Structure formats: structure tokens, C-alpha cells
Amino acid sequence: MLKHQKNTPFLLCTLIAILVSSCEGMFNKEEEKEPLARVDDTFLYKEDIASLIRDDMTAEDSTMFVTNYINNWASKQLLLSKSKINLPEEKLAEFDRLVSDYRADLYTRAYIEALVNQSQDTSVTKAQLQEFYEREKENFKLNEKLVQLRFVGMSEKFLDRDGVEAKIKNWDVSDKRYLDSIAVQFNKIHFNDSIWISASRVIEEIPPLTRANEETHLKKSQFFELQDSLEVYLGLVTNVLEVNETAPFDYVEPDIKQLILNRRRLNYIKKLETEIIDEAIKKNEFEVYDKEN
């Protein structure tokens, strides 16, 4: 029994030494980074550029990339060092403020965007779109002519040009069915004359049509036959809206949806900022000191 008590201090000391050694291993052991270059006390490490080297690079490409990167990095570091020595203190202070503000903006914008994407309702009903359109109709004035039309583009050697012209003009159910059945013979077709198209888009699709002659051919109820060196275009304009007229709902519907979502986003951000400040005041995390004191 006495022998056991005499050995106890020795065992305790040994145990403490093992624990201290283990702790030193846990807390002081740090994986040593492999440096690639140094400018004064600043190091560029291998891990800093490892993710920039693509898998499809050859060994020569990788070596050249690393060499160029190191040289560019060194150049920036040396210029930065000299700028801190040679630029006026007030200019350095101004740059520090700008960097600090930019850093804060990056963090806060990323955080706000994450909250908006997580919380914002992106569903917009047809009724909401219509309501917005009626309320804001004066803001939807056209800055370009819109047309509704149907047309075909065909080879100049197409045999039944007159028959196609008659069917485009008449446009009953049997005419539509027939033209659909031979659509593979046309180089271009546009039969959906219920949608609005900008004049510039029509000019892109029909090369013989230009800004110089659009007033002649893009008129309501106007049939046109235009030809270039390759093709013949037959078409009928069913409706026209001129510049400064109110844009039709169907034409601006995608824009209205985006406007509604943008307003929701801005309102959410304002609400979020207000709630953050209110909560910080309640928790005594934020206060404004009286300037007169």
C-alpha cells in the first residue's frame, strides 16, 4: 500500500507531461504552406493558385501560367509597397476607406441577395399584371412601331406564288390548313398574326424591307410582295401601332412582371433594413450619441 502511494506523484507527473505534449501537438501543429514567391514579408503560396490551374492544361501551359501569375503578383506587391511610401497620407486614408466600404458592400449585398432569394414571392398572377398595366398605362408608350402580320418567304422559283398570295389574303380555316401542309416548301413562315412584333424585328426577318420603305409596306391591311436576289416575300399586315401609342398588354407583360418583382424586392430590402435597425436598438447594439453632449 505504501509503495503504491509513493508511485502516485510520479504517475501523475507522467500523465500531465503526456497531456501537455498532446495539447501542444493539437494546438501548435500547423500544416506548413509551400511558398512560391516572396516580396518583403508577403508570401505567395502554392495553395493560392492551385485552384486556378485547369485540368486541361498541359505541363508546359501550367508552368507558363504559374510563372506569369508570380510575376504579375510580384509586380502588384512591389507597386503597392512603393505606393504606400510615396502617396500622400490623406490619399492612402481615402483609399483605405474606399476599400473598407467596398468590402462591406460585397458582404451586405451577398447577404441581402441570399435573404431576398430565400424569402421573396416570385409568383405574379394575371390579375396583378392587368391591374398594374391599367394603373401605369401612361408609362407604356411605344418608342417603336409595332405590327401584327403574316408572311412567307419562298424561292423565286416557287410555282404557285399566286395561290399562296390568295390564301394569305383570304385566310380562312382551309387556307391556313393548306399553307401549314406545305410549310416545308417555304424558307420562312410567320402565320401567328395575333402577336405584336417590332418593326425592327420584321426588317431583320425580311431583308428587302428597310427603314426607307417600311412606311409604304408596314401599313394596316397592306399586302406586300418584296423580292431580293434569293427569295420572294409575301405578307399581309393586319394591324399597326405607331410610336407614342400605348403598348398593348401582351407586348409589355414580361416587362410588367419584372417591374412588379423589382418593386417587391426593393420594398423587402427597405423593410429588412428597418427591422435590423429596430432590433439592434432594442438589444442595445446600436445607438446614436447626442452631438451636443
Side-chain angles (χ1 to χ4, degrees):
M1 184 68 179
L2 183 60
K3 182 177 180 181
H4 176 72
Q5 287 177 342
K6 287 181 179 180
N7 287 338
T8 299
F10 173 76
L11 292 173
L12 286 175
C13 289
T14 303
L15 181 59
I16 291 170
I18 292 172
L19 288 173
V20 169
S21 176
S22 300
C23 289
E24 286 179 351
M26 283 189 293
F27 293 108
N28 294 335
K29 186 177 180 181
E30 187 175 323
E31 188 175 339
E32 203 168 316
K33 296 181 180 180
E34 182 178 346
L36 291 175
R38 177 186 65 83
V39 172
D40 293 330
D41 296 329
T42 303
F43 288 84
L44 176 68
Y45 294 99
K46 185 176 181 179
E47 66 181 37
D48 295 332
I49 64 172
S51 62
L52 302 177
I53 299 175
R54 303 192 311 271
D55 294 336
D56 59 350
M57 286 183 176
T58 65
E60 291 180 357
D61 290 340
S62 298
T63 301
M64 185 178 297
F65 174 82
V66 171
T67 300
N68 291 336
Y69 191 96
I70 290 173
N71 289 337
N72 289 333
W73 173 84
S75 176
K76 288 180 182 179
Q77 293 298 322
L78 291 167
L79 287 170
L80 177 62
S81 178
K82 291 186 181 297
S83 70
K84 291 181 177 180
I85 296 172
N86 294 291
L87 286 176
E89 286 296 327
E90 59 271 17
K91 183 62 69 174
L92 292 174
E94 178 186 349
F95 288 159
D96 286 341
R97 284 195 301 272
L98 290 173
V99 170
S100 178
D101 289 344
Y102 181 65
R103 182 173 181 272
D105 284 342
L106 284 177
Y107 279 108
T108 55
R109 285 177 187 174
Y111 179 60
I112 288 173
E113 285 300 321
L115 291 176
V116 169
N117 293 335
Q118 182 180 1
S119 305
Q120 188 178 13
D121 179 13
T122 57
S123 62
V124 183
T125 66
K126 196 80 168 182
Q128 289 173 321
L129 294 169
Q130 287 278 7
E131 181 185 356
F132 188 98
Y133 174 74
E134 294 299 329
R135 188 173 65 249
E136 307 279 347
K137 188 177 286 188
E138 288 302 313
N139 295 322
F140 295 113
K141 298 297 183 182
L142 291 172
N143 54 18
E144 183 180 12
K145 177 191 289 186
L146 298 184
V147 298
Q148 291 177 323
L149 80 166
R150 51 185 178 265
F151 73 87
V152 296
M154 65 183 74
S155 168
E156 61 177 348
K157 297 178 181 179
F158 191 89
L159 296 178
D160 190 21
R161 188 187 303 185
D162 292 339
V164 172
E165 176 180 336
K167 291 180 179 356
I168 285 179
K169 288 179 177 178
N170 192 44
W171 206 242
D172 62 20
V173 174
S174 61
D175 296 323
K176 297 176 188 178
R177 187 180 300 116
Y178 174 76
L179 290 177
D180 280 333
S181 70
I182 64 168
V184 293
Q185 301 180 42
F186 301 132
N187 297 330
K188 288 183 180 179
I189 59 171
H190 177 75
F191 293 155
N192 189 354
D193 59 3
S194 64
I195 66 171
W196 290 98
I197 306 173
S198 66
S200 60
R201 177 68 185 281
V202 178
I203 290 172
E204 287 179 9
E205 294 295 324
I206 305 176
L209 187 64
T210 65
R211 288 295 184 187
N213 64 21
E214 72 165 285
E215 290 298 327
T216 302
H217 301 298
L218 296 185
K219 296 189 295 187
K220 186 174 181 178
S221 303
Q222 176 70 45
F223 177 84
F224 60 81
E225 179 177 340
L226 296 167
Q227 184 172 351
D228 59 17
S229 60
L230 299 174
E231 293 178 307
V232 175
Y233 296 87
L234 305 177
L236 182 71
V237 179
T238 58
N239 208 351
V240 174
L241 286 173
E242 299 290 349
V243 173
N244 290 327
E245 290 192 66
T246 301
F249 171 76
D250 291 343
Y251 188 75
V252 294
E253 183 177 353
D255 297 328
I256 293 174
K257 181 177 181 179
Q258 195 57 52
L259 284 169
I260 291 175
L261 292 178
N262 286 343
R263 290 190 183 183
R264 282 183 188 172
R265 179 180 181 278
L266 291 174
N267 290 336
Y268 177 81
I269 291 173
K270 288 180 181 177
K271 179 173 176 286
L272 177 65
E273 289 173 345
T274 300
E275 289 176 349
I276 287 175
I277 291 176
D278 289 343
E279 183 180 3
I281 292 173
K282 288 178 182 178
K283 293 182 176 180
N284 201 29
E285 296 172 342
F286 168 62
E287 60 181 313
V288 179
Y289 298 106
D290 189 348
K291 294 180 181 179
E292 295 180 358
N293 293 337

